[in-house]
Amino acid sequence: VSATGRTPADVLVDGETIAAVLAPGSTLLGFDLAAHVDRVIDATGKYVIPGGVDAHTHMELPFGGTAASDTFETGTRAAAWGGTTTIVDFAVQRAGERVMDGLAAWHDKAAGQCAVDYAFHQIVGGVDDDSLKAMEGLVAEGVTSYKLFMAYPGVFYADDAQIVRAMQKAADLGLLTMMHAENGPAIDVLAAQLVERGKTDPYFHGIARAWQLEEEATHRAIMLADLTNAPLYVVHVSAKQAVQQLAWARDNGKNVFGETCPQYLYLSLEEQLGAPGFEGAKWVCSTPLRSRAEGHQDHMWQALRTNDLQMVSTDHCPFCMKGQKELGLSDFRAIPNGIGSVEHRMDLMYQGVVTGEITLERWVELTSTTPARMFGLYGRKGVIAPGADADVVVYDPAGHTSIGVGEGRTHHMNMDHSAWEGFEVDGHVDVVLSRGTVVVDDAGYHGRAGHGRYLKRDLSQYLV
Ligand code: URP
Ligand code: ZN
Ligand code: ZN
């Protein structure tokens, strides 16, 4: 299955790459292939797809006085289990720090640890003369996209003046601007008012982060990008009104793109409200879960069908309950933001095929092919074709996956809970190859830390 169609085929892997895609039972130079290869993986009745590309992860991200609980080792192992064979993680620069130091620190964390291939975006958490100058060196490092935050004042943040300066620089360099589009200063006012009134439960995280503040920030980002001729990619879109802004911009010829995440398709603010005690903390993420009654989830699925949203990433940013999420027991503002899903994205999105929300081809496009094209990896990743890396997943539509931390459930992330506990998927990741090496099959996990390589990325294919 590719982004454009499906056909019965034999896939011939030679070393780390795809050598050929052949009609079933083909001979090559007169040889019966099956008799002359080291290993035959029988995929009869199953789908063979390019390995998943998760373009939004945060392994070991320092946040809220703690750090995301998956290391590059545990996080990429979990990714492999779930059929994701490439991650693009975010190197971090904060205000006052040097961008290239942040990038070097991320290389140190990841080198020799990854089970699958990895690449980096750069968070520019503080825009100033030094960080703008340093952006000039990113493309040569294979980092062709960077992220700004309109949220999180005092942590990672860019005001309008800083956004304009960064976008001008990015437009000159061919860097893709990724935007966390929420109005952080306004959110902080609402959050403080809620806490003053004793509204400290996890649910109020989502109340403070109102959809109006995502819509407003998305519109502002679009207009600043238009002004500066900077292509724009809005991350973790959850509000239908933000999607409408993106759709309007695209209809008017602006070069803007949006991703959503499985949590904004399946989970809701109402469920968070109904969770007992502090349980709702497992769903504290930003942007927040939205109200099902307001129709945000249905709108996200629709936007994936109509291409108003182009990709699904996880924003994998895991924190344990114990010692991490619990930091916000008496004040939701202190709950570290993030959900862990790197292992489940391919399954959760396949469930959208089962329920008729998206087609099989769109599943591949949203989870592998477009991420590869958007972030300068296409050709090596995102496609099964001669010369591409042999990142291949055999997916069994007759299989079943029970997600969660309990016995018999699938969970290899370094978390003491799952935001997806109890989710059942009619499908199963059967076999996973990373650059020609079988890392997962029915005998279990065969990957190793250090197999995964750093990928220097080309410029986005979506720049015009
Ligand atoms: O809740 C989230 N999304 N945590 C990770 C940081 C970010 O904003 O992407
Ligand atoms: Zn963000
Ligand atoms: Zn993120």
Side-chain angles (χ1 to χ4, degrees):
V1 182
S2 75
T4 52
R6 59 187 94 168
T7 184
D10 286 344
V11 177
L12 182 65
V13 172
D14 185 12
E16 297 198 342
T17 55
I18 310 275
V21 181
L22 303 158
S26 293
T27 58
L28 201 61
L29 301 175
F31 287 108
D32 169 12
L33 277 176
H36 287 86
V37 295
D38 296 329
R39 178 169 177 182
V40 175
I41 298 169
D42 184 1
T44 307
K46 300 174 185 172
Y47 299 127
V48 179
I49 61 171
V53 178
D54 189 344
H56 190 154
T57 70
H58 297 286
M59 307 304 171
E60 305 179 39
L61 176 74
F63 197 92
T66 183
S69 57
D70 264 320
T71 62
F72 278 90
E73 182 182 1
T74 62
T76 56
R77 188 194 311 148
W81 271 109
T84 285
T85 52
T86 303
I87 62 160
V88 191
D89 204 87
F90 287 82
V92 175
Q93 177 259 356
R94 287 189 204 74
E97 296 174 355
R98 287 151 53 118
V99 169
M100 287 304 166
D101 289 349
L103 183 56
W106 242 252
H107 276 294
D108 286 347
K109 286 177 200 278
Q113 301 302 312
C114 293
V116 298
D117 289 353
Y118 62 100
F120 295 139
H121 314 284
Q122 180 68 49
I123 285 176
V124 181
V127 178
D128 57 21
D129 289 346
D130 287 344
S131 53
L132 289 168
K133 181 80 191 143
M135 283 169 67
E136 292 171 12
L138 288 175
V139 172
E141 298 293 326
V143 178
T144 54
S145 47
Y146 74 107
K147 182 178 176 188
L148 296 175
F149 291 80
M150 301 164 99
Y152 309 138
V155 185
F156 308 114
Y157 183 65
D159 64 22
D160 290 353
Q162 291 169 315
I163 292 170
V164 168
R165 294 183 76 201
M167 284 180 167
Q168 286 171 333
K169 178 64 81 174
D172 282 351
L173 297 169
L175 290 171
L176 182 58
T177 299
M178 305 172 79
M179 186 63 80
H180 181 136
E182 286 185 294
N183 185 325
I187 288 167
D188 284 358
V189 169
L190 298 186
Q193 289 170 346
L194 285 164
V195 172
E196 271 164 31
R197 300 202 323 261
K199 313 273 188 202
T200 58
D201 287 350
Y203 165 77
F204 293 103
H205 170 85
I207 300 301
R209 307 186 91 87
W211 60 258
Q212 289 90 340
L213 302 177
E214 186 183 346
E215 179 183 12
E216 182 277 329
T218 304
H219 180 76
R220 189 157 33 103
I222 288 166
M223 297 316 292
L224 297 180
D226 193 44
L227 180 78
T228 54
N229 280 323
L232 175 70
Y233 177 97
V234 182
V235 293
H236 48 53
V237 176
S238 66
K240 70 177 177 193
Q241 294 83 357
V243 174
Q244 286 161 350
Q245 291 297 322
L246 292 168
W248 166 83
R250 291 171 61 78
D251 286 351
N252 285 279
K254 302 186 198 309
N255 208 19
V256 305
F257 309 94
E259 80 177 7
T260 192
C261 311
Q263 52 269 36
Y264 307 125
L265 295 160
Y266 287 106
L267 304 173
S268 74
L269 194 57
E270 285 90 345
E271 284 155 76
Q272 196 174 25
L273 176 62
F278 190 63
E279 286 281 292
K282 66 186 177 190
W283 295 317
V284 165
C285 56
S286 300
T287 58
L289 303 187
R290 299 287 176 198
S291 160
R292 202 179 294 281
E294 290 174 2
H296 299 282
Q297 293 77 4
D298 286 348
H299 200 87
M300 295 300 131
W301 282 115
Q302 176 185 305
L304 291 177
R305 286 191 293 277
T306 58
N307 208 36
D308 290 334
L309 293 172
Q310 293 74 39
M311 285 176 45
V312 177
S313 313
T314 56
D315 193 8
H316 177 76
C317 194
F319 295 100
C320 290
M321 272 293 179
K322 202 165 171 42
Q324 297 199 299
K325 293 276 186 186
E326 279 175 2
L327 292 168
L329 264 172
S330 58
D331 182 342
F332 66 82
R333 294 175 298 180
I335 301 170
N337 291 200
I339 284 183
S341 315
V342 74
E343 185 171 351
H344 305 313
R345 186 184 60 129
M346 302 303 285
D347 280 324
L348 289 168
M349 294 314 298
Y350 181 71
Q351 193 61 24
V353 177
V354 173
T355 56
E357 296 284 2
I358 53 172
T359 65
L360 201 53
E361 288 81 3
R362 187 66 173 155
W363 172 51
V364 172
E365 190 171 29
L366 292 168
T367 56
S368 177
T369 306
T370 301
R373 296 188 65 206
M374 186 70 70
F375 292 110
L377 292 165
Y378 188 75
R380 283 180 285 174
K381 308 297 185 188
V383 61
I384 296 179
D389 285 353
D391 287 8
V392 180
V393 173
V394 178
Y395 198 85
D396 184 0
H400 188 85
T401 306
S402 301
I403 301 179
V405 293
E407 187 65 26
R409 300 198 152 262
T410 297
H411 180 99
H412 300 88
M413 301 175 290
N414 185 31
M415 296 173 72
D416 60 1
H417 68 280
S418 170
W420 301 100
E421 192 66 49
F423 269 71
E424 305 288 339
V425 174
D426 294 321
H428 187 68
V429 173
D430 251 21
V431 182
V432 181
L433 281 80
S434 166
R435 291 196 336 275
T437 298
V438 173
V439 290
V440 174
D441 65 11
D442 54 10
Y445 181 71
H446 312 287
R448 67 170 178 85
H451 166 81
R453 284 194 198 136
Y454 176 65
L455 300 164
K456 277 191 164 192
R457 294 186 289 119
D458 300 326
L459 298 185
S460 171
Q461 288 193 358
Y462 287 78
L463 304 182
V464 285

